[in-house]
Amino acid sequence: MTRPGRHVLLIGALALVSTLWYVMWTVTGFGPVFVGYLFMPIASAVAALALRALRRETPLEPVGRRFWRGLEIGAVLVTAGFGLLAGAAVLSEPVLPDMPLAGAACAASGLLAAIWAVARVPVGVTNRHERTRQWLDRSIAFIGCAAVLWHFGLLPLVTSDDDWTPGGLAIMILGFAFAAGAITKVSYIVGGPVDRGAVRTAASVGLAVAGVALLDGKFGYNGILPGQTLCLPLVPLLMAVAAYRQRRAAGRPSRRRGNVWLPYLAVLAVDVPLADVLFRPAVRDGFWEGRLVVGLTAAVTALVLGRQFLVNRDNIRLLREREASEARLQYDATHDALTGLGNRVLFKRRLETVLADGPATVLLVDLDDFNTVNDSLGHDVGDELLIAFAETLRSAAGADGEPARLAGDEFAVLVTTPGHDRAVAERVMAAIAAPISDHRLLVHASAGIASAPAGTPASHLLRDADAAMFTAKQRGKANWVRYAAGMEKPAQAHAQLGGDLRRALDAGEFKLVYQPIVHLRTGRVVGVEALVRWFHPERGMVSPIDFIPAAERTGLIVPLGRWVLRETCRQAAAWMAEFGPDVLEKAAPNVSVRQLHDPDFVADVRAALADSGLPASRLVLELTESAVLRGHQVLRVLHELHDMGVRLALDDFGTGESSLSLLRAFPAAVVKLDKSFVDNIELDEPGSAAANARQAVARAVIQLADALGLDTVAEGIENQEQADRLLKLGYTVGQGYHLGRPVSAADLTTRLAAEQRSLRAAA
């Protein structure tokens, strides 16, 4: 148990002994009178020790420490004052002593110190509304308390025939003032540096002091001894309890509770003197006293009515705020925060309601290539596009449908007008035919329409609409398709493929094959392009045409690409260690745009080179033009790679719309002529515009590359005639099935070993 707790028990025991002694003395008249004066100074000394221990052992704010110091000083002075009174009682036995002047001064100073401490403690009132409530509650408390103290204490005291000493009279008046002031002070507490319960307990000391004054005023000198033994020991007890409560509240948040009982206690307090005025003729006949009590009662009643009016107004306001908050939470739970459209929860709820009563039709809409906007222009522009598209969808649906945003760039329309589903779809497609959003972006969307009879589960109808939308995307995007039986099978297979990708990565089902990059004049392998293959345990080899788009869509292209990069570097370093550093000039894995947007991509490249020991100049990352045209972030990553010494190859060069402009911003080291310009390049057909165009493009590319200091690689060489023609045009390096099909690392090792033997034999 803490020291304040022990102090509370000790003072409580003293108060109990004091009460028992007075009862025994009253009944038997046995024992010296001065014993009744000893309990108060002893208990006050213990209370002073409790307050001192609290200040020294409990972390307190400076203002709180000042409050408890004031109470401690008050307790010390009260101990001294009533100690002097106890000494006077011993000397005057068996006559009741008068309060010595020095004792009265000490006790009065102690009361003033306590009053000052309570008056100065902050109660957490910070705004005008709370200040109004504070003064209203304080007025109620003051009038109610003052009415009781005046009628039953102060008035009888000043009109009494007893000859009170000035010191004793001053202490009793101060006791009344302390009681009224303390109750008024703590009638409204919001917070503050001192625990609410501790402040109110300390302020309750005033009630004990007022009890003594009331006894003295009511019974004169006959009330002194019961006041000393019954009421006064409560003063140090309450101080010790307050210290104990503060110790327990240290470090814990204060619970805010309203003054619920204040109006009832105040009305009860003023009703007591009112009842005394009404039922005691002597008091009732006192004109001014009766008027005063009635006036105080009326004042408290009016103030309580005003307080209750404010409380009711606040309760109504809080109730409205709660209703508004609940409405806002309900709205937020059923609406998309970005676009303001209903979300999946609300849409599914509405769809289930419609299907419960009859048939329903759903239009599912998905923006085509929305990730391109996010990747190239940033997510802020992407959000603006979604907002603009939501507004476009709302306008296009009109009175025929209820639009919603289900997730990401996927939207839906619940068609509410039967037979208007086709019209809604066509209005949506027509609305996005023109640029939308503040950035004037031209977007396309794919949509699927599905209908279902009453009783169909909402999830089944959404599944059918999704299957139709997937079919629309497979047919070239930017169109809409109505669901037909069996459409869900390709979509399910596509989804299953995405699920198998994760398992395949963990199971090690992906393998790399390497297509040789060959010197056209010597036929020697100078580099390899790494190509990934998936050997499915049930489906056999899955074509990259099938699984690469699924990996892009699911984001698994990032870990897959990371594995391809590390494996390519490891294998290339192994070949160099086996056959010498000149065996390969380049090892070229392909890189997707999703990898370039991965914040860890540059670190992945650096780690792959460091772990394998492959020189950065031997690593060539192959990129498509569409990957390079993805904004400033991608260009920044490419320049970081270039600064590391990694070479960058522009794959399928010549097929894009910005090939030439790319060479100015893109730090390319290698240009790969697309296969479409190599096909039939060997043919000499007089007057053939197609053949002449292919040769002209190939010649222009090699001249441009030479002028810019770039290496070139011709792709898709299918026969020796094409190789000869390209060599004649100035190309020295190429790849294609004629020069070497993609093979496993072991097969390519065999070819490299054979070439090395040939080189040694020739030397």
Side-chain angles (χ1 to χ4, degrees), residues 563-684:
W563 175 82
V564 170
L565 172 67
R566 296 185 66 86
E567 182 64 16
T568 301
C569 292
R570 185 200 64 78
Q571 184 59 63
W575 282 323
M576 293 175 65
E578 183 176 356
F579 300 114
D582 297 329
V583 66
L584 290 178
E585 296 177 5
K586 64 189 75 174
N590 289 278
V591 175
S592 75
V593 65
R594 293 290 293 270
Q595 288 178 271
L596 295 176
H597 282 281
D598 179 26
D600 297 326
F601 180 65
V602 175
D604 289 340
V605 174
R606 186 178 288 108
L609 293 173
D611 293 344
S612 65
L614 182 71
S617 60
R618 301 299 175 91
L619 178 63
V620 178
L621 301 180
E622 295 199 3
L623 311 161
T624 62
E625 293 184 33
S626 60
V628 176
L629 291 170
R630 288 302 179 102
H632 298 293
Q633 179 182 349
V634 169
L635 286 178
R636 180 181 57 79
V637 170
L638 296 178
H639 280 285
E640 287 187 42
L641 295 170
H642 175 73
D643 294 340
M644 289 169 51
V646 176
R647 291 187 291 168
L648 305 174
L650 194 58
D651 201 8
D652 303 331
F653 185 77
T655 59
E657 299 177 358
S658 306
S659 298
L660 297 179
S661 62
L662 273 179
L663 296 179
R664 293 186 301 172
F666 172 52
V670 181
V671 172
K672 301 188 73 173
L673 181 68
D674 187 68
K675 182 181 184 300
S676 62
F677 300 111
V678 176
D679 290 342
N680 299 321
I681 197 173
E682 75 279 10
L683 301 179
D684 286 321

Side-chain angles (χ1 to χ4, degrees), residues 326-339:
E326 290 177 351
R328 169 54 62 180
L329 289 175
Q330 180 65 24
Y331 180 87
D332 291 342
T334 56
H335 287 76
D336 175 55
L338 180 64
T339 63

Side-chain angles (χ1 to χ4, degrees), residues 497 532-535 539-549:
L497 183 64
V532 64
R533 297 291 184 264
W534 182 8
F535 294 93
R539 301 169 58 182
M541 194 184 78
V542 182
S543 171
I545 297 177
D546 294 328
F547 74 80
I548 292 296

Side-chain angles (χ1 to χ4, degrees), residues 161-497:
D161 295 331
D162 294 324
D163 188 16
W164 293 99
T165 63
L169 189 60
I171 292 175
M172 286 186 283
I173 293 175
L174 281 175
F176 284 126
F178 181 67
I183 298 302
T184 301
K185 173 71 177 183
V186 300
S187 61
Y188 188 86
I189 300 178
V190 177
V194 182
D195 178 67
R196 288 156 49 103
V199 173
R200 285 178 170 161
T201 303
S204 299
V205 168
L207 295 178
V209 176
V212 175
L214 288 173
L215 287 174
D216 292 346
K218 183 68 175 177
F219 302 105
Y221 277 97
N222 292 328
I224 293 178
L225 190 58
Q228 287 286 331
T229 55
L230 300 179
C231 296
L232 283 180
L234 296 177
V235 172
L237 178 61
L238 290 171
M239 286 188 175
V241 170
Y244 178 70
R245 295 193 65 170
Q246 180 66 52
R247 172 70 69 92
R248 293 197 59 182
R252 294 186 303 179
S254 177
R255 293 181 298 173
R256 178 169 180 170
R257 292 177 294 181
N259 303 320
V260 178
W261 295 102
L262 176 63
Y264 306 105
L265 293 176
V267 171
L268 179 62
V270 295
D271 282 347
V272 173
L274 180 62
D276 187 57
V277 169
L278 293 176
F279 295 106
R280 288 177 58 197
V283 178
R284 185 175 64 247
D285 295 339
F287 179 79
W288 68 273
E289 171 63 11
R291 290 285 185 93
L292 179 61
V293 170
V294 171
L296 292 175
T297 304
V300 168
T301 303
L303 290 172
V304 168
L305 289 175
R307 182 187 188 277
Q308 294 305 102
F309 171 78
L310 292 179
V311 169
N312 289 336
R313 188 184 65 178
D314 290 345
N315 289 340
I316 293 173
R317 176 180 56 82
L318 292 174
L319 183 60
R320 289 175 178 171
E321 290 178 355
R322 179 178 177 181
E323 292 174 348
S325 177
E326 290 177 351
R328 169 54 62 180
L329 289 175
Q330 180 65 24
Y331 180 87
D332 291 342
T334 56
H335 287 76
D336 175 55
L338 180 64
T339 63
L341 296 179
N343 60 14
R344 179 180 290 273
V345 174
L346 180 61
F347 184 81
K348 192 173 182 180
R349 186 185 303 166
R350 284 285 297 118
L351 182 57
E352 289 172 345
T353 302
V354 173
L355 286 170
D357 298 330
T361 299
V362 167
L363 174 70
L364 210 59
V365 187
D366 187 85
L367 292 177
D368 296 331
D369 303 319
F370 175 71
N371 285 335
T372 302
V373 176
N374 272 342
D375 294 339
S376 59
L377 300 178
H379 289 276
D380 290 340
V381 176
D383 288 346
E384 292 179 13
L385 177 59
L386 291 174
I387 295 172
F389 182 75
E391 186 60 35
T392 300
L393 192 64
R394 186 184 287 110
S395 299
D400 296 329
E402 299 177 7
R405 183 189 179 197
L406 302 187
D409 59 342
E410 185 176 322
F411 295 79
V413 178
L414 175 60
V415 180
T416 55
T417 305
H420 283 222
D421 49 354
R422 180 187 184 93
V424 172
E426 290 178 348
R427 288 203 299 266
V428 171
M429 295 302 169
I432 61 175
I436 62 175
S437 86
D438 293 339
H439 288 78
R440 307 299 297 166
L441 297 176
L442 184 62
V443 297
H444 300 289
S446 300
I449 299 177
S451 301
T456 303
S459 58
H460 290 185
L461 180 54
L462 289 173
R463 180 198 61 194
D464 294 344
D466 188 65
M469 184 183 69
F470 179 80
T471 303
K473 286 185 175 292
Q474 294 296 102
R475 293 180 182 178
K477 304 180 181 180
N479 64 92
W480 63 273
V481 171
R482 189 181 298 277
Y483 173 78
M487 275 188 181
E488 69 278 0
K489 294 180 180 179
Q492 292 173 353
H494 200 65
Q496 184 178 1
L497 183 64

